[in-house]
Amino acid sequence: MTIRKKALDYFTIEGVVGGNQEWFRNVVMYMGGCAAATACDSCIYFALRKGWRQLYPYDIEHLTKEDYIQFGMKMKPYIKPRVGGVKKLSMYIEGFENYLSMACQKDALIQTVDSEQSGRKRTLNMREFPGTHSAEEAKQVIKYQIDAGFPVPYLMLRHQNPEYKDFVWHWFLCYGYVETEDDFKITVATYGEATTFSLKDLWETGCEERGGLILYSV
């Protein structure tokens, strides 16, 4: 029996869920652009659902694959694919903060265009939630974030279960959950698809290098 479920009003681009790093023509971005793609998807979501239009430098009302590819290349200098990957939560935060500062005229302030809050400026903050926390703690923060209207960037480094091989050393974006008496499942977007996982199985990797979450707040 479902106890609670919530999914953000996510977006599609030419019929697929979110963006897809496999669209990138640049070889480095194609191979290692998952963190940049996660930041791009976050920007698009915020521009669409929170009115922070300056985060997405293209037509937010007409999302296209070609614009997404170009957006990825704009994000690339800030969240750079590198040897070993963007393997620390701090790397994502530092790079994304630099992009926000540039996009928001050097002050990292987000101005909403929502009619009821026009003119208000608020700061988008980020903090680390390391994979050393328990699965129960991860469940609670994911619920809180999604209930508050924020997608959750998720970094998974290693995992003993080969079923998760496509998500090893990979960033993706969590945007929904379903809680039952027996399980807590999350829905994530990556590679242009929505995938559902049992959080406990995904979180408890059995490995020392574990990654973690980024928590957005305003």
Side-chain angles (χ1 to χ4, degrees):
M1 181 180 70
T2 300
I3 298 174
R4 183 183 177 93
K5 64 180 178 179
K6 174 82 172 183
L8 300 178
D9 185 11
Y10 208 58
F11 63 92
T12 59
I13 301 176
E14 298 185 12
V16 305
V17 178
N20 187 346
Q21 99 183 57
E22 293 181 338
W23 292 341
F24 295 140
R25 301 185 186 99
N26 179 274
V27 174
V28 175
M29 285 290 283
Y30 178 89
M31 297 296 294
C34 55
T38 298
C40 288
D41 285 16
S42 297
C43 287
I44 293 171
Y45 175 82
F46 290 142
L48 275 172
R49 308 306 178 210
K50 295 189 179 294
W52 302 340
R53 300 296 180 89
Q54 69 270 49
L55 298 190
Y56 183 66
Y58 302 96
D59 186 353
I60 195 61
E61 301 299 335
H62 299 90
L63 298 172
T64 68
K65 176 179 176 180
E66 186 58 37
D67 284 350
Y68 187 86
I69 292 168
Q70 297 305 316
F71 188 30
M73 294 307 294
K74 288 183 180 294
M75 189 66 72
K76 179 176 178 282
Y78 298 94
I79 307 181
K80 302 174 183 177
R82 64 202 78 185
V83 176
V86 182
K87 62 182 181 180
K88 294 181 180 179
L89 301 175
S90 59
M91 292 178 176
Y92 180 95
I93 291 175
E94 180 182 1
F96 197 20
E97 283 181 343
N98 288 337
Y99 174 79
L100 294 173
S101 181
M102 179 280 300
C104 302
Q105 301 175 345
K106 307 303 179 184
D107 61 2
L109 292 174
I110 309 300
Q111 179 152 4
T112 178
V113 297
D114 185 274
S115 59
E116 295 180 359
Q117 302 182 52
S118 182
R120 290 182 60 189
K121 286 189 175 183
R122 298 177 293 175
T123 303
L124 178 65
N125 299 308
M126 289 172 272
R127 68 181 178 92
E128 301 179 22
F129 185 88
T132 49
H133 284 278
S134 70
E136 178 61 27
E137 290 171 318
K139 166 187 165 181
Q140 295 302 325
V141 297
I142 289 173
K143 284 176 60 178
Y144 180 86
Q145 292 297 108
I146 292 175
D147 287 348
F150 292 102
V152 184
Y154 192 129
L155 168 64
M156 188 169 77
L157 294 177
R158 303 189 186 279
H159 204 293
Q160 287 185 337
N161 189 337
E163 291 184 8
Y164 299 126
K165 60 181 175 63
D166 291 337
F167 292 83
V168 165
W169 224 262
H170 189 56
W171 285 89
F172 43 95
L173 202 59
C174 175
Y175 70 93
Y177 68 82
V178 176
E179 184 178 14
T180 66
E181 292 180 350
D182 301 323
D183 202 2
F184 183 82
K185 296 182 182 296
I186 60 171
T187 301
V188 308
T190 191
Y191 300 122
E193 299 179 346
T195 308
T196 299
F197 297 110
S198 168
L199 177 64
K200 190 173 189 298
D201 291 346
L202 191 69
W203 191 261
E204 295 179 351
T205 65
C207 302
E208 288 188 17
E209 294 179 295
R210 300 187 60 173
L213 311 173
I214 300 294
L215 306 182
Y216 294 131
S217 65
V218 173

